[in-house]
Amino acid sequence: GIQVEQSPPDLILQEGANSTLRCNFSDSVNNLQWFHQNPWGQLINLFYIPSGTKQNGRLSATTVATERYSLLYISSSQTTDSGVYFCAVGSNDYKLSFGAGTTVTVRA
Amino acid sequence: DTAVSQTPKYLVTQMGNDKSIKCEQNLGHDTMYWYKQDSKKFLKIMFSYNNKELIINETVPNRFSPKSPDKAHLNLHINSLELGDSAVYFCASSQDSLLNYGYTFGSGTRLTVV
């Protein structure tokens, strides 16, 4: 299956800071999604982004499929941004494979 | 109106028992999934159904049996529970099985086997 590597594994931010999370994958994909798992365990779909750039409020994501990576940008971070951010990719086997996640802690 | 709802939210049970987790989606999606999240937060697919038909069956013990009575429901039955089954189980749905759309997850069921 496709290997998914996320970096950094942990990130501590001061409220108001910007950050970039990275997702590298080992093969071509036709599906890439970013999720946020909040401290209560709920998994929220942030972006469906197999290629290109999307923005949603303070969050944006870019996937460069030809170079096999995706980036998630968090701007002006807030304490509610804390949690684990997962990148998940899918290919011809129709399975969505998750990375190990980046744990983000935003301090007030 | 919850899009993907799972019940129960918490389940504590003894080894050897049989238990079920229910999942329902009101999004009109064709495809539903069960994922398992372990203690290190790693998410792994277990099963997928498309219009009531099993399409993904990962290497899980056959004590786990999914059932889809219709495309809006996907239940997970677990026989002879073991300590290692303790985890959070997530149900999810998507518009199709071809990875053309994003996934919507339920809020999870935390299973603790004692």
Side-chain angles (χ1 to χ4, degrees), chain B residues 2-9 20-27 29 31-35 47 49 65-77 89-94 104-109:
Chain B
T2 306
V4 180
S5 57
Q6 293 179 232
T7 55
K9 191 167 177 59
S20 291
I21 306 171
K22 295 186 175 182
C23 179
E24 175 181 1
Q25 55 96 1
N26 63 5
L27 297 167
H29 288 171
T31 311
M32 297 183 72
Y33 311 85
W34 279 112
Y35 275 80
F47 302 104
Y49 271 75
S65 54
K67 282 190 173 53
S68 182
D70 55 61
K71 76 172 192 177
H73 295 84
L74 179 61
N75 304 322
L76 184 65
H77 189 75
Y89 293 85
F90 283 96
C91 177
S93 73
S94 64
T104 302
F105 277 83
S107 56
T109 295

Side-chain angles (χ1 to χ4, degrees), chain A residues 31 33 37 45 48 95-96, chain B residues 35 37 58 99-100 102-103:
Chain A
N31 184 312
Q33 302 182 49
Q37 187 166 35
N45 192 312
Y48 169 79
K95 297 175 190 173
L96 199 66
Chain B
Y35 275 80
Q37 186 172 44
E58 285 296 275
L99 301 178
N100 293 322
Y103 283 26

Side-chain angles (χ1 to χ4, degrees), chain B residues 13-16 36 63 80-87 89 111-114:
Chain B
T13 188
Q14 291 190 325
M15 276 195 308
K36 179 179 179 180
R63 298 181 294 103
S80 303
L81 277 154
E82 299 177 358
L83 292 177
D85 298 331
S86 295
Y89 293 85
L111 171 65
T112 304
V113 183
V114 297

Side-chain angles (χ1 to χ4, degrees), chain B residues 15-70:
Chain B
M15 276 195 308
N17 283 351
D18 303 339
K19 290 294 178 186
S20 291
I21 306 171
K22 295 186 175 182
C23 179
E24 175 181 1
Q25 55 96 1
N26 63 5
L27 297 167
H29 288 171
D30 284 345
T31 311
M32 297 183 72
Y33 311 85
W34 279 112
Y35 275 80
K36 179 179 179 180
Q37 186 172 44
D38 62 22
S39 57
K40 294 183 179 176
K41 297 216 176 266
F42 185 68
L43 279 151
K44 186 165 168 47
I45 189 164
M46 301 173 69
F47 302 104
S48 173
Y49 271 75
N50 186 62
N51 270 320
K52 303 192 297 177
E53 182 183 340
L54 181 65
I55 57 171
I56 294 175
N57 186 357
E58 285 296 275
T59 310
V60 300
N62 56 16
R63 298 181 294 103
F64 289 78
S65 54
K67 282 190 173 53
S68 182
D70 55 61

